[in-house]
């Protein structure tokens, strides 16, 4: 039965909610991973896009229950790079061959629109694609960043279960998060979203809804992260058993539903499994986001415990990631890697 669903999904890229639930519930998902890998090769090729991640501030006004840098975590040593430091880090990343810079932070109000637009303009002079991942903003703010040159925006929906979202993200509204995603889409960004997998109270049915939500938007990129409990958060005593396997299945089904989007092999995957990112690349993923944040600041951006590469420098991470990618017969694509580029170039 699931063989027949897989066969059809690789050709039509449509699945009902019940079929998605069935695939996510598979005990042995090897055939699902093989199908996702086949669709990945056909629609985005063997190239892997690298995105240089700069974690530029761990200040955050929000209090998401799962997140290690939530405002309420008083144990966190806070840091904030200056605009000059951010631009310098981006220049370094470009010197290592990166074609995309991702600026990520908590929701830090110190970076007002003027400061951010100035940083965006300076980084865009480096001839790179620029992605922002800085949380919920007004439509006007998103429009200003876009006018300054930002190309992409990452904002995970985390979960499409509104009740669960508002329980885990107190003082935040699920409708506002959805509003942000639609505003970003209308403003012409490439939009990345995604889910946390394994949240307490999350059901397989709601994970299926997440995938259908990404297909409906539609997203240009989607990152699936296994939830990893952080000891200094209210969810400290939750478990992470099975989250890796479920996240891998989510990612694979997403590749079947949205065959040509960009899907990252997330860092959290490798925290839970030593081969996590390679397994993800073999199950539908085509993007890796190596950390290019200065080694001094990495330990302070602890969203979850056990984050990989904390003691490594950006140059080492760049080489290490490329070697890993080559070890599975894939290669680093030296391009900006916009959604749909591969198919356009092929035809
Ligand atoms: N502030 C921005 C935002 O809200 O989109 C970007 C930073 S936020 C820390 C980036 C992502 O980290 C979140 O979307 C969430 O999915 C992930 N994250 C937070 N806590 C996590 C945890 N305990 N385990 C795994 N991922 C986590
Ligand atoms: Fe703001 Fe996690 S609570 S980044």
């Amino acid at each position: 039965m699931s063989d027949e669903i897989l066969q059809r999904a690789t050709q039509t890229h449509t699945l009902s909610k019940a079929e998605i639930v069935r695939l996510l519930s598979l005990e042995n998902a090897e055939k699902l991973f093989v199908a996702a890998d086949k669709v990945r090769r056909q629609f985005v090729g063997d190239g892997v896009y690298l995105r240089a991640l700069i974690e530029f501030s761990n200040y955050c006004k929000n209090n998401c229950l799962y997140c290690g840098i939530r405002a309420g975590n008083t144990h966190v040593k806070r840091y904030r790079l200056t605009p000059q430091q951010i631009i310098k880090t981006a220049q370094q990343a470009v010197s290592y061959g990166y074609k995309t810079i991702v600026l990520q932070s908590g929701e830090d109000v110190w970076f007002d629109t003027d400061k951010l637009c100035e940083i965006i303009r300076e980084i865009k002079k480096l001839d790179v694609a620029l992605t922002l991942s800085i949380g919920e903003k007004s439509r006007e703010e998103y429009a200003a960043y876009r006018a300054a040159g930002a190309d992409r925006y990452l904002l995970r929906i985390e979960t499409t279960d509104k009740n669960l979202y508002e329980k885990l993200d107190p003082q935040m509204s699920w409708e506002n998060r959805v509003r942000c995603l639609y505003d970003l889409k209308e403003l012409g960004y490439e939009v990345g979203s995604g889910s946390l997998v394994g949240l307490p109270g999350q059901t397989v049915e709601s994970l299926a809804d997440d995938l259908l939500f990404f297909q409906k938007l539609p997203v240009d990129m989607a990152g699936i992260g296994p939830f990893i409990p952080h000891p200094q958060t209210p969810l400290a005593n939750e478990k992470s058993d099975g989250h890796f396997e479920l996240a891998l299945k989510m990612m694979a089904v997403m590749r079947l539903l949205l065959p040509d989007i960009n899907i990252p092999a997330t860092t959290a995957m490798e925290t839970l499994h030593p081969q996590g990112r390679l397994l993800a690349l073999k199950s539908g993923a085509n993007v890796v986001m190596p950390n290019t944040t200065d080694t001094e600041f990495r330990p302070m951006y602890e969203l979850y415990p056990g984050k990989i590469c904390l003691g490594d420098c950006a140059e080492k991470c760049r080489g290490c990631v490329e070697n890993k990618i080559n070890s599975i017969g894939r290669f680093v694509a030296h391009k900006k890697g916009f959604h749909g580029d591969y198919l356009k170039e092929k035809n």
Side-chain angles (χ1 to χ4, degrees), residues 63-320:
N63 243 326
C64 303
L65 264 53
Y66 43 79
C67 184
I69 61 169
R70 64 199 299 271
N73 185 359
T74 51
H75 303 286
V76 178
K77 192 169 164 216
R78 303 284 166 177
Y79 74 94
R80 176 184 288 132
L81 301 193
T82 63
Q84 290 72 22
Q85 283 173 312
I86 298 171
I87 294 158
K88 192 162 160 261
T89 311
Q91 287 166 341
Q92 258 159 14
V94 171
S95 77
Y96 300 137
Y98 288 104
K99 307 280 183 224
T100 292
I101 304 293
V102 182
L103 296 184
Q104 193 183 84
S105 68
E107 288 197 19
D108 182 356
V109 289
W110 187 86
F111 287 96
D112 58 21
T113 310
D114 287 348
K115 288 193 186 90
L116 278 165
C117 287
E118 190 49 34
I119 295 167
I120 293 166
R121 278 191 290 271
E122 285 303 312
I123 294 182
K124 283 300 287 180
K125 288 181 190 164
L126 304 171
D127 186 26
V128 284
L130 180 59
T131 307
L132 298 176
S133 174
I134 56 177
E136 295 182 15
K137 306 280 174 182
S138 67
R139 187 183 174 101
E140 291 68 34
E141 287 169 299
Y142 288 146
Y145 312 149
R146 180 90 185 112
D151 304 282
R152 306 185 178 118
Y153 206 100
L154 301 182
L155 186 78
R156 287 186 180 169
I157 189 70
E158 317 291 5
T159 171
T160 47
D161 178 338
K162 174 178 153 61
N163 289 333
L164 182 63
Y165 179 87
E166 291 182 352
K167 201 165 119 195
L168 297 178
D169 304 68
Q171 300 130 32
M172 292 171 80
S173 121
W174 186 80
E175 276 82 11
N176 192 48
R177 201 138 184 109
V178 175
R179 187 274 304 161
C180 288
L181 288 168
Y182 278 95
D183 275 351
L184 290 163
K185 196 84 198 158
E186 283 166 21
L187 289 164
Y189 282 92
E190 282 211 340
V191 174
S193 193
S195 316
L196 269 176
V197 172
L199 291 167
Q202 191 177 41
T203 61
V204 186
E205 285 73 19
S206 91
L207 288 173
D209 283 334
D210 293 1
L211 292 172
L212 292 170
F213 174 82
F214 301 142
Q215 194 181 35
K216 177 164 170 266
L217 201 70
V219 292
D220 302 287
M221 173 166 169
I224 301 296
F227 159 60
I228 306 172
H230 189 292
Q232 292 160 354
T233 63
L235 303 185
N237 295 326
E238 297 296 332
K239 300 269 173 296
S240 59
D241 305 342
H243 296 180
F244 174 77
E245 292 74 14
L246 189 53
L248 206 59
K249 286 189 266 186
M250 273 289 278
M251 221 197 59
V253 178
M254 192 155 63
R255 174 59 74 202
L256 299 181
L257 288 173
L258 289 154
D260 66 346
I261 65 165
N262 286 317
I263 301 182
T266 57
T267 312
M269 291 273 211
E270 196 132 319
T271 296
L272 290 185
H273 190 296
Q275 299 290 313
R277 284 185 297 182
L278 289 186
L279 289 171
L281 286 173
K282 291 196 218 173
S283 311
N286 71 321
V287 171
V288 177
M289 295 167 63
N291 200 338
T292 48
T293 313
D294 205 273
T295 316
E296 178 190 349
F297 302 107
R298 291 187 190 200
M300 291 181 252
Y301 200 83
E302 193 190 50
L303 310 178
Y304 48 82
K307 249 179 103 185
I308 56 165
C309 312
L310 282 191
D312 297 334
C313 66
E315 191 174 8
K316 179 162 179 253
C317 282
R318 173 68 181 78
C320 165

